[in-house]
Amino acid sequence: MFKFMVYFIAISILLIHCLPFENNTEDYDRGGADLSYLGRSVFGEPNEESGNRVEQWNKSSKVNPEELGTYAEGDILFPNDVRRSGVISETKRWPGGVVPFEINGTYSEEQREMIKKAMMEFHKQTCIRFRKRKPGDSDWIWITNAKTGCYTSIGRLGGLQTVNLQAPACLLHGTVMHELLHAIGFGHEQSRSDRDLYVTINWANIKQGHLQNFEKAGKLLSTSFGVSYDYGSIMHYSSHAFSVNGHPTIAAIRDTNLQLGQEEGFSKNDVEKIRRIYNCSNISTKQNSSEIDIDIK
């Protein structure tokens, strides 16, 4: 009898930890993504060390500007005042896919056009709509140019939400799109719970103090939204992210020479994820430009 009770308790514990909870399913349905694996590292304040690293970036670098910060996974930062027991376990979508914004950074006209160009990619290929903040908007993203690197939080926080795009390095087309994708609720591709089926993490090549950047999400909440793993996602780390010795820190299992990530724009799977999480209908790319234009002046 005693052995049976031990066996029964062990099986019960296993089921509790392995089966999805009802509220987790609800989080998934409304766009939740598991960020609990990041722990307390997501909370903090902007710092100039990250800004100095980004300032030294150039086109010959083997990494992307958003991978240079001291923040969680390089560019994820939640303000300390939104801390909830030290863990963020879900993200929130923007109602109707509408994201109000303000641009408060001291950007040149050309740099403002770079931000607009990135936003327009969302308009052309998805149902996400960026528009200037109105007096009645209580939640909005605040795009600024502090010398603290490239960073934002994930999903809609509520209230003012900083998207820092330090000029000029963070004004790359792909970097702006990358940070905006974080803001609407997407994490990094290589942080998916199933990533070990597709990539190898070369732990010995990672800088000391940055191992946590390569942790992966738990299985209870999915960040993949039913879309297959995407080596070419704009949300994927480059192969040399946080390398201590110039050797790759992450490589595709099927082809170690395969390029990881890119800064050109959405991959097909990036678009599909947005459409699924925001329940987009198929958006025509032949819309009249006046219907999707953005006023950033």
Side-chain angles (χ1 to χ4, degrees), residues 103-158:
I103 298 180
N104 289 281
T106 53
Y107 296 110
S108 67
E109 183 175 346
E110 180 181 4
Q111 290 167 345
R112 283 175 173 261
E113 284 299 316
M114 288 296 294
I115 297 172
K116 177 177 179 178
K117 181 181 177 182
M119 289 180 172
M120 289 289 285
E121 288 299 315
F122 285 82
H123 285 214
K124 291 176 181 178
Q125 300 190 57
T126 78
C127 59
I128 299 296
R129 294 292 179 264
F130 293 94
R131 64 161 173 77
K132 290 183 70 174
R133 183 195 178 205
K134 299 177 182 179
D137 291 324
S138 58
D139 303 335
W140 73 100
I141 62 172
W142 191 69
I143 301 173
T144 190
N145 184 17
K147 190 179 176 182
T148 49
C150 324
Y151 66 83
T152 189
S153 48
I154 297 181
R156 176 175 60 90
L157 290 184

Side-chain angles (χ1 to χ4, degrees), residues 23-75:
N23 66 325
N24 287 333
T25 302
E26 292 173 355
D27 291 341
Y28 177 87
D29 290 341
R30 65 173 176 260
D34 181 9
L35 302 180
S36 58
Y37 71 98
L38 292 172
R40 293 179 177 271
S41 68
V42 299
F43 300 102
E45 299 295 335
N47 61 75
E48 291 189 0
E49 180 182 351
S50 296
N52 292 334
R53 292 181 181 184
V54 168
E55 190 173 38
Q56 296 172 21
W57 180 90
N58 59 63
K59 292 183 179 180
S60 64
S61 302
K62 293 183 178 181
V63 299
N64 300 321
E66 64 268 22
E67 297 165 358
L68 295 173
T70 62
Y71 314 118
E73 295 189 0
D75 65 340

